[in-house]
Amino acid sequence: MIAEPEPPQPWTPPNTKDVELLPVGRWWDAVRVAPPVAARALGALGEASGAVIQDTYGTLYWLVAVGSARTSHLRHVRVLTALADESTYLGVPPASWTEGPGPHWRVPLTDGRHLTDAHALWTALTEILRDEIGRAPEGRQLCYRCQLPTDEPVIVGEEHGGSIGGGTIYVCPQHAAYYPAHLRIPLIPARGQGGGI
């Protein structure tokens, strides 16, 4: 749901020595997008994207106007904003850190422009999730690679068991990068068909 944004408060880019924990909801809110969707969103937004922070794990954080993105019902997307009963902080790297490894500005800060339009970001994310990620799995699933439960499973293939039934193969967002969308094929062929990963 997109809400009317509050006027942005003046914001000075972070210090020049190290990552600084800054409270979300004061100068901006942040939209956290998991790696399987983040790179596609960057491409879809192009020049319409404001500054974007990338963390060590490939997760991207778009800065948006305070209150412009209140809730998220999109998989792999979380809105970070000020809450009444707790504080949320985002690690913000120095403006000069534009390359990894480690936290850096994937899309650098520019004079007077650090925010992304929340509506444009939501439109891009909705289309990407509908067209490229596919249907939403039902409930929590077990990641095929790390064997841990995930609330945001990504379907990467179908397991075939020959004469017995197969099943859907899920991975967590962190491991979805190992399965590019165009390679998401059955991972375990039926007996006698050869191949496999």
Side-chain angles (χ1 to χ4, degrees):
M1 176 179 173
I2 305 297
E4 286 296 317
E6 295 178 13
Q9 297 179 20
W11 181 57
T12 303
N15 67 49
T16 59
K17 296 183 182 189
D18 204 353
V19 173
E20 185 176 349
L21 290 177
L22 297 177
V24 296
R26 184 170 178 191
W27 301 284
W28 32 256
D29 286 344
V31 178
R32 178 188 184 275
V33 183
V37 180
R40 294 181 188 116
L42 269 181
L45 283 170
E47 295 295 318
S49 180
V52 180
I53 297 170
Q54 180 172 327
D55 71 14
T56 304
Y57 306 103
T59 301
L60 297 185
Y61 299 82
W62 273 265
L63 305 181
V64 297
V66 174
S68 64
R70 293 187 187 277
T71 62
S72 168
H73 297 290
L74 299 177
R75 289 180 295 147
H76 310 294
V77 177
R78 292 286 179 266
V79 176
L80 305 178
T81 189
L83 302 173
D85 57 348
E86 65 183 58
S87 298
T88 304
Y89 291 85
L90 178 63
V92 179
S96 61
W97 291 14
T98 57
E99 294 183 14
H104 63 280
W105 291 94
R106 176 72 179 265
V107 177
L109 289 161
T110 58
D111 291 334
R113 181 157 181 251
H114 60 276
L115 299 179
T116 298
D117 178 71
H119 182 70
L121 178 59
W122 239 246
T123 300
L125 291 170
T126 302
E127 290 175 8
I128 290 163
L129 288 166
R130 182 189 66 230
D131 297 340
E132 298 184 28
I133 301 298
R135 64 185 168 89
E138 300 268 335
R140 180 177 271 199
Q141 300 294 332
L142 195 64
C143 175
Y144 182 78
R145 286 191 61 115
C146 66
Q147 295 297 303
L148 295 174
T150 176
D151 290 324
E152 296 184 335
V154 177
I155 298 171
V156 295
E158 298 292 328
E159 184 176 44
H160 297 283
S163 62
I164 59 171
T168 303
I169 298 174
Y170 302 95
V171 294
C172 61
Q174 182 178 356
H175 289 118
Y178 293 101
Y179 301 90
H182 68 282
L183 296 178
R184 293 181 186 168
I185 57 175
L187 300 178
I188 303 173
R191 187 175 293 171
Q193 292 181 0
I197 295 179

